[in-house]
Amino acid sequence: MTDEYISKIEEITGRDQRKRVLEIVRIMRRHDFVRNFIKQQNPEEVRFALEELGPTFIKGGQILSTRPDLISPEFISEFKKLQDDVQIDSFESVSKTFREQTEKNISDVFDKFDEKPFASASIGQTHHAVLKNGTQVVVKVQHPKIKELVETDLTLFRQALKILKLAPEITVVDPKEILNQLQESLLNEINTEIEIKNGLEFYRLNNHDGIIEVPVVYEEYSTQKILVTSRMDGESIKKLAASSLSDDPTERKLQKKERTYIANALVKNFIKQVFVDNFFHADPHPGNILFYRLKQDDPRINELESTHEFEKKSGSIKASIKTEQKLPPYRLVYLDFGMMGRLSPLLAEGIANVIVALSKKDTQEISQAVLSICNRTGEIDEEDFTDQLGIFLTPYLKQGLGQIDFPVMLYDIIKLCRKNNLQVKPEVTLLIKAFGSLEGIVSQLDPDLSLMDVARPFAKEYFKRKFNWKNELDEDLITFGRAVKSTPQIPIKIEKLLDTLNQGRGRFTLRFKGQDKFIDRIETIVNRLIITIILASIILSSSLLVQGSMEHPAIYNIGVAGYMISFVVIIWMVASAIWHHFKK
């Protein structure tokens, strides 16, 4: 990032904001951005507009590519092509940022610091460095003025949309909701302190979980714009997944066994993140997961992992047995903790319910489980929703996991929920997105392994841990006691019911599906019929008044006023009918 770019940011955030608004409007009009985006059409044209609009919008598009709850699968696929085209900050600029943030010079903290970054993106750039104690680290430094640029561009973007005056037409997505979600995500992205906390927590929960490793976050050197983490070995796991298997049968068998182990390790760790930690990596794409092999002289080559733990308690005596086995000579590394998901215990239980219901292929149970993880935005016909969901899921329940297109399925489920006044909670859509990303890696490593096959027993195990036998037994005993107490009264209640029916005092209430909508429709028709009769009466009366009162101006004016009122009411009824027709 050059001084020219920095001055451009200062110009944007200063007095010349009007120029930037007009620039945004001009680019949007040229690419028909608003119409294409809200109707989710021509994704390539929208991507071109984002690239032309600059770093804030490029980063926004990249964030949206991880939100299948907000945009269509076609847009997600296109936005994944967005590449950061940001020039590198000078070393003087980096030094200035570091000094402003830490009140120290780079030389005071690091024994060595590469002046040229090895990566640069919209928000910041990363350098290799060595601490004074010899520890190799990676230093991520935020671009100068990026916070001001993002905040200003978001504000100006809202102004630009007002200038464009969105047409009141049927839309596929809600632009206001998307803009609010995008603003929250972008502002979190530029606040490195959030990533610091996430990194510390993820390290505590997952480092050395089998072959999983997590970089150390050096909190004492990190600030709102600086992130210092340990340097990790390895290359993207995509390289391993894409590599060809050996032609030698023995070697090929060993390679398959290794890939199956790695796939299982990824899945089991992810399920642990969800159901045990309730805190998961929301963007586990191949670039954020590294793979490397240990050298023969590495002390970690002899590390052990627990494979089974057994604990028995008898009175005050507790005995535990732990079995261990040697870890394989390779490791997986998680990176980038800017986008994380967090679940409440209640929501985690709801997701476990969905998984168990899916395994049983019971649409009624699936429907109830889905309802429990959604927010209700209006009146809901649960029976109708269950029928629609059953019809939608039928073909999916007959397919294998590898045959399902997750982005398309998720987007269709979200549309079905919105149609029924249900809003899938953001944490859930984030989880399903992460689940889909990880499933893509796993299917490459081991096509026969299904995430659902691993998740199902884990979800059942989750219920076993949450199940309180004492409480359940107490509740069952109370219920049984009430049932025993009520049993002798059953003949008396039956006799009272027969007496009531015999005396003609019984009343039955019948309801049918769609009853409320039907009654509303009948009421609307009756109201319009009454208004029509009244209008006909007014028009007839006005005609008599006008015809017979030529010499009486006051009476004549009353007749004309009746005509005018009738005309206004007729126009209103026609306009209302047209509006309701297009609203459907």
Side-chain angles (χ1 to χ4, degrees):
M1 192 177 288
T2 61
D3 293 336
E4 179 184 353
Y5 187 77
I6 294 172
S7 65
K8 181 182 177 183
I9 296 173
E10 289 173 344
E11 176 187 346
I12 292 170
T13 57
R15 47 196 177 146
D16 206 12
Q17 293 185 0
R18 177 176 171 78
K19 181 180 177 182
R20 176 61 173 164
V21 172
L22 294 176
E23 181 186 11
I24 293 172
V25 171
R26 176 175 53 81
I27 293 171
M28 285 184 169
R29 280 180 174 163
R30 185 165 64 246
H31 295 280
D32 200 8
F33 178 89
V34 174
R35 182 182 298 275
N36 285 331
F37 188 74
I38 64 176
K39 299 190 80 173
Q40 292 290 277
Q41 62 187 19
N42 301 321
E44 187 178 34
E45 196 68 26
V46 175
R47 175 171 66 84
F48 290 154
L50 293 177
E51 289 174 338
E52 197 170 341
L53 284 166
T56 302
F57 295 90
I58 290 173
K59 189 63 186 178
Q62 291 171 342
I63 290 173
L64 285 177
S65 71
T66 68
R67 295 297 302 270
D69 56 320
L70 298 179
I71 60 176
S72 69
E74 293 77 17
F75 268 69
I76 286 174
S77 178
E78 193 65 34
F79 284 1
K80 284 181 178 178
K81 299 176 185 177
L82 285 166
Q83 299 294 323
D84 293 305
D85 185 19
V86 181
Q87 295 184 25
I88 296 171
D89 295 333
S90 65
F91 182 64
E92 289 74 19
S93 174
V94 172
S95 299
K96 181 182 178 184
T97 301
F98 189 86
R99 188 165 52 252
E100 289 174 347
Q101 288 287 301
T102 66
E103 298 182 351
K104 295 179 181 179
N105 293 319
I106 285 178
S107 58
D108 297 334
V109 177
F110 302 102
D111 190 47
K112 181 182 177 184
F113 191 98
D114 290 355
E115 295 188 5
K116 186 177 180 181
F118 66 88
S120 183
S122 303
I123 302 300
Q125 60 189 47
T126 48
H127 301 253
H128 286 138
V130 179
L131 292 172
K132 291 291 186 180
N133 61 7
T135 304
Q136 294 191 15
V137 294
V138 170
V139 185
K140 181 178 176 182
V141 184
Q142 200 173 100
H143 294 311
K145 301 290 184 181
I146 195 67
K147 184 174 185 291
E148 291 83 351
L149 174 64
V150 169
E151 290 175 345
T152 304
D153 263 357
L154 284 171
T155 302
L156 299 183
F157 182 55
R158 288 183 186 275
Q159 293 179 13
L161 290 180
K162 290 179 182 177
I163 293 173
L164 287 168
K165 294 181 181 178
L166 294 175
E169 56 183 324
I170 297 173
T171 64
V172 177
V173 298
D174 183 352
K176 184 178 179 181
E177 178 192 358
I178 289 179
L179 189 54
N180 290 336
Q181 293 275 345
L182 189 59
Q183 177 170 300
E184 182 181 352
S185 298
L186 274 170
L187 294 178
N188 285 341
E189 186 86 15
I190 60 178
N191 186 0
T192 309
E193 290 175 344
I194 293 175
E195 188 172 354
I196 293 169
K197 291 178 182 177
N198 290 341
L200 290 167
E201 185 171 1
F202 196 81
Y203 177 88
R204 176 177 60 82
L205 294 170
N206 296 282
N207 191 48
H208 294 315
D209 179 40
I211 61 171
I212 304 294
E213 291 186 346
V214 182
V216 178
V217 174
Y218 292 97
E219 192 176 8
E220 64 271 29
Y221 305 126
S222 302
T223 66
Q224 197 269 326
K225 294 186 177 182
I226 306 289
L227 177 65
V228 182
T229 62
S230 57
R231 182 174 176 176
M232 306 299 287
D233 295 323
E235 295 180 300
S236 169
I237 196 171
K238 186 177 182 179
K239 186 175 181 180
L240 172 69
S243 62
S244 302
L245 295 171
S246 173
D247 293 330
D248 179 68
T250 306
E251 182 67 22
R252 188 184 186 90
K253 186 177 179 179
L254 289 172
Q255 288 176 330
K256 283 187 174 181
K257 184 179 179 181
E258 177 182 277
R259 294 186 185 194
T260 299
Y261 184 94
I262 293 169
N264 268 289
L266 279 171
V267 173
K268 288 179 179 178
N269 175 261
F270 182 73
I271 299 300
K272 181 191 81 72
Q273 293 176 34
V274 174
F275 291 113
V276 178
D277 306 335
N278 298 156
F279 180 70
F280 62 92
H281 198 297
D283 194 20
H285 64 76
N288 283 339
I289 301 177
L290 305 182
F291 171 81
Y292 74 95
R293 299 183 187 279
L294 298 173
K295 297 177 181 178
Q296 289 299 320
D297 59 347
D298 195 310
R300 293 173 297 169
I301 202 82
N302 295 314
E303 278 186 345
L304 301 174
E305 73 167 333
S306 299
T307 56
H308 178 71
E309 290 190 30
F310 172 80
E311 187 175 288
K312 181 72 175 177
K313 187 175 182 180
S314 178
S316 60
I317 302 173
K318 184 170 68 173
S320 61
I321 301 173
K322 180 188 292 184
T323 58
E324 296 180 324
Q325 71 176 17
K326 189 177 178 180
L327 284 171
Y330 44 77
R331 297 290 183 268
L332 294 171
V333 180
Y334 267 101
L335 300 176
D336 193 353
F337 309 108
M339 188 179 297
M340 306 297 290
R342 193 180 294 276
L343 304 172
S344 67
L346 187 62
L347 191 53
E349 185 174 335
I351 293 165
N353 279 324
V354 173
I355 294 171
V356 173
L358 283 170
S359 69
K360 292 160 67 174
K361 298 185 178 180
D362 184 335
T363 53
Q364 182 71 36
E365 196 171 329
I366 293 171
S367 172
Q368 291 303 310
V370 170
L371 286 169
S372 71
I373 61 172
C374 290
N375 294 320
R376 303 187 178 213
T377 58
E379 188 177 348
I380 299 164
D381 186 333
E382 293 189 13
E383 185 180 346
D384 192 40
F385 173 70
T386 300
D387 291 342
Q388 292 179 41
L389 188 63
I391 294 169
F392 171 78
L393 286 176
T394 298
Y396 286 106
L397 294 175
K398 295 177 181 178
Q399 296 178 20
L401 197 67
Q403 299 172 287
I404 297 175
D405 187 333
F406 273 96
V408 172
M409 183 184 77
L410 176 59
Y411 188 67
D412 288 341
I413 287 176
I414 289 166
K415 284 201 296 185
L416 179 64
C417 288
R418 283 178 176 168
K419 182 181 175 184
N420 287 275
N421 295 323
L422 290 167
Q423 183 184 53
V424 180
K425 294 180 180 179
E427 305 97 315
V428 178
T429 55
L430 205 58
L431 172 60
I432 300 175
K433 160 63 180 64
F435 181 91
S437 296
L438 199 66
E439 197 277 334
I441 302 172
V442 170
S443 63
Q444 281 187 289
L445 291 167
D446 184 0
D448 298 326
L449 179 66
S450 162
L451 262 70
M452 194 64 74
D453 290 339
V454 181
R456 193 181 300 115
F458 212 109
K460 290 180 180 178
E461 189 64 31
Y462 171 84
F463 281 124
K464 286 181 184 178
R465 289 198 309 272
K466 295 291 182 180
F467 191 79
N468 189 316
W469 287 101
K470 187 177 183 301
N471 290 345
E472 291 294 325
L473 185 60
D474 289 345
E475 289 180 10
D476 288 343
L477 285 172
I478 292 170
T479 303
F480 180 73
R482 291 176 63 186
V484 170
K485 185 179 179 181
S486 302
T487 301
Q489 301 178 17
I490 292 176
I492 299 172
K493 289 183 178 180
I494 293 175
E495 184 182 1
K496 287 182 179 179
L497 173 63
L498 293 174
D499 287 342
T500 300
L501 293 175
N502 188 46
Q503 295 171 15
R505 289 185 288 113
R507 185 176 66 179
F508 291 95
T509 302
L510 297 177
R511 289 184 63 85
F512 57 88
K513 187 177 179 180
Q515 173 179 303
D516 293 338
K517 290 183 180 179
F518 177 75
I519 293 174
D520 289 342
R521 183 64 179 163
I522 293 296
E523 185 179 354
T524 301
I525 292 172
V526 171
N527 287 339
R528 288 183 178 178
L529 183 61
I530 292 171
I531 292 172
T532 302
I533 293 171
I534 293 173
L535 281 174
S537 301
I538 292 174
I539 292 171
L540 181 62
S541 301
S542 298
S543 298
L544 293 173
L545 290 173
V546 170
Q547 185 70 26
S549 59
M550 290 297 209
E551 298 177 358
H552 301 280
I555 298 176
Y556 177 82
N557 289 336
I558 292 173
V560 172
Y563 278 135
M564 293 178 66
I565 292 171
S566 300
F567 178 74
V568 170
V569 173
I570 291 170
I571 293 295
W572 174 78
M573 289 178 67
V574 171
S576 177
I578 293 172
W579 185 79
H580 282 291
H581 174 75
F582 284 103
K583 186 182 177 182
K584 291 181 181 178

